[in-house]
């Protein structure tokens, strides 16, 4: 039986004026809308008590397993105001399937694709006025699931809480797209063979924060991780996948080895590549191979991709061997074109032959 998300209206929603003020400068991840969807799971009853409720704090027992053993997973997706005024999600089925794979890895219960999408649609419907209509703005959605059982033994929780809330997001690059600098760490890794690198779980992020600090100490915006076994192969950034463009017109991204997060944006770019005369290639990329190719000019562009920032040019790579400027250090042509193509699809400005956009009626 599919879950129903009936709405219990927030008796104290923000006024139109308050909402307009927030939407005039939403930033990222700092403001939250008036409602959220929730559901509970128990071993005995499965999923139940699903509803849209007023946005607000959880009552959580101090012994809740998530607070001790980090049994938690999440998703990140966006609702986009379309050129015709309607609202649509980008490939929500992909997020639902990844949520299922993450749940399996973290020994959390499965949620059906249809239920997952209903829970997201229900929040967007309740807070439709919060979907911004300015260029590159969107309503960021954060579905997540965690072990809420109060129990200190180490085993999968028998009580689990699901929630999806929404947060208006401004243009990621408020003053235009700017290439970022990357520190390639060999001191820290984010994922190991057999570990949780391919799951979207909070623990991966906790483990990556110190490497982000290391990057900042080296004057870089973001950190790039190598593989956990040899520390010789490019994996990804803390929250974005990586691509490079070669003089042979190849669009290359590290192949999925089980420790790389399978981004929806990554997957979409692989599919779009041929439209730009590029051959999509998934293979192992050596760190040394990358810096040498950047120095030699056979890799002309490097970029990162993910839901939050779409496509982000990388202008500089840095590690203990030196600093490597990618091309001219400015945003490359292919990077800019792919970024524009994705945004045009997401905002309904071009036809959608792949059927990626999911309208919310
Ligand atoms: C979410 C995430 C990405 C990007 O995935 P998208 O589905 O494109 O947003 C990449 N790497 C990590 C570690 C992530 O958590």
């Amino acid at each position: 039986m599919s879950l129903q998300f009936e709405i219990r209206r927030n008796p104290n929603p923000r006024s139109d004026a308050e909402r307009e003020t927030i939407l005039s400068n939403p930033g990222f991840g700092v403001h939250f809308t008036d409602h959220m969807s929730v559901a509970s799971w128990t071993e005995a009853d499965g999923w139940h008590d699903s509803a849209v409720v007023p946005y607000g704090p959880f009552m959580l027992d101090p012994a809740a397993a998530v607070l001790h053993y980090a049994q938690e997973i999440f998703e990140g997706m966006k609702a986009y105001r379309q050129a015709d005024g309607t609202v649509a999600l980008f490939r929500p089925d992909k997020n639902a399937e990844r949520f299922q794979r993450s749940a399996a890895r973290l020994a959390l219960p499965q949620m059906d694709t249809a239920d997952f999408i209903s829970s997201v649609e229900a929040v967007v419907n309740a807070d439709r006025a919060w979907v911004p209509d300015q260029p590159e703005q969107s309503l960021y959605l954060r579905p997540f699931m965690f072990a809420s059982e109060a129990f200190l033994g180490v085993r999968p929780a028998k009580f689990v809480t699901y929630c999806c809330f929404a947060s208006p997001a401004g243009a990621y690059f408020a003053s235009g797209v700017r290439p970022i600098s990357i520190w390639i760490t060999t001191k820290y890794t984010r994922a190991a063979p057999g570990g949780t690198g391919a799951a979207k779980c909070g623990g991966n992020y906790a483990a990556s924060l110190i490497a982000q600090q290391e990057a900042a100490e080296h004057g870089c915006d973001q950190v790039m991780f190598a593989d956990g076994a040899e520390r010789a192969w490019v994996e990804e950034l803390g929250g974005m996948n990586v691509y490079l463009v070669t003089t042979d017109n190849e669009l290359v991204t590290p192949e999925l080895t089980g420790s790389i997060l399978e981004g929806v944006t990554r997957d979409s770019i692989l599919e779009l590549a041929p439209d730009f005369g590029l051959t999509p290639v998934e293979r192992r990329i050596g760190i040394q191979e990358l810096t040498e190719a950047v120095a030699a000019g056979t890799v002309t562009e490097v970029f990162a991709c993910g839901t939050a920032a779409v496509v982000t040019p990388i202008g500089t790579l840095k590690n203990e061997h030196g600093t490597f400027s990618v091309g001219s250090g400015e945003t490359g042509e292919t990077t800019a074109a792919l970024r524009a193509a994705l945004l045009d699809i997401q905002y309904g400005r071009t036809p959608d032959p792949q059927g990626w956009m999911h309208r919310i009626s």
Side-chain angles (χ1 to χ4, degrees), residues 109 122 140 151 165 288 339 356:
Y140 185 82
F151 178 64
F165 64 82
Q288 195 182 337
R339 179 181 165 79
W356 281 344

Side-chain angles (χ1 to χ4, degrees), residues 203-214:
N204 289 345
Y205 279 73
S208 75
L209 299 177
I210 191 172
Q212 184 60 39
Q213 286 180 337
E214 191 198 5

Side-chain angles (χ1 to χ4, degrees), residues 180 182 190 222-225 235-240 242 304 314:
I180 60 169
I182 295 289
R190 69 172 281 283
Q222 294 269 330
V223 65
M224 179 186 283
F225 290 96
E235 293 223 312
E236 59 172 314
L237 309 191
M240 284 188 275
V242 187
I314 293 173

Side-chain angles (χ1 to χ4, degrees), residues 21-261:
T21 303
I22 290 170
L23 291 184
S24 69
N25 183 19
F28 182 80
V30 283
H31 298 288
F32 308 101
T33 68
D34 294 313
H35 298 88
M36 61 187 193
S37 57
V38 292
S40 300
W41 180 92
T42 59
E43 202 178 49
D45 298 328
W47 289 109
H48 58 277
D49 283 351
S50 56
V52 171
V53 298
Y55 181 89
F58 290 113
M59 278 277 272
L60 211 54
D61 194 289
V66 64
L67 300 177
H68 306 276
Y69 309 129
Q71 195 190 3
E72 186 264 0
I73 58 169
F74 66 95
E75 271 302 322
M77 50 207 292
K78 285 175 171 174
Y80 304 86
R81 181 74 64 183
Q82 302 294 284
D84 64 6
T86 60
V87 173
L89 302 170
F90 181 68
R91 311 186 75 184
D93 50 318
K94 285 276 177 192
N95 295 94
E97 289 161 14
R98 186 170 65 194
F99 201 55
Q100 289 157 8
R101 293 195 298 274
S102 299
R105 180 62 185 81
L106 274 286
L108 282 161
Q110 289 292 310
M111 180 175 275
D112 287 349
T113 298
D115 290 337
F116 176 89
I117 295 177
S118 304
S119 77
V120 176
E121 284 182 333
V123 182
V124 178
N125 269 327
D127 288 329
R128 192 171 274 257
W130 285 90
V131 182
D133 54 13
Q134 295 302 302
E136 292 207 24
Q137 295 195 351
S138 58
L139 186 63
Y140 185 82
L141 296 152
R142 172 49 62 86
F144 65 113
M145 192 197 286
F146 61 91
S148 43
E149 183 184 5
F151 178 64
L152 289 183
V154 179
R155 58 147 171 74
K158 294 179 181 175
F159 298 87
V160 169
T161 300
Y162 170 82
C163 176
C164 175
F165 64 82
S167 175
Y172 198 84
F173 296 99
S175 49
V177 179
R178 182 185 65 86
I180 60 169
S181 55
I182 295 289
W183 171 252
I184 307 172
T185 184
T186 43
K187 186 169 178 189
Y188 302 109
T189 61
R190 69 172 281 283
T196 55
K200 211 167 172 74
C201 62
N204 289 345
Y205 279 73
S208 75
L209 299 177
I210 191 172
Q212 184 60 39
Q213 286 180 337
E214 191 198 5
E217 281 158 18
H218 285 92
C220 291
D221 299 307
Q222 294 269 330
V223 65
M224 179 186 283
F225 290 96
D227 70 293
E230 296 176 61
R231 306 197 189 191
W233 307 97
V234 176
E235 293 223 312
E236 59 172 314
L237 309 191
M240 284 188 275
N241 295 114
V242 187
Y243 269 98
L244 30 120
V245 182
T246 72
T247 42
D248 295 335
N249 288 322
E250 285 186 341
L251 187 62
V252 191
T253 193
E255 69 183 2
L256 301 173
T257 52
S259 50
I260 292 176
L261 199 285

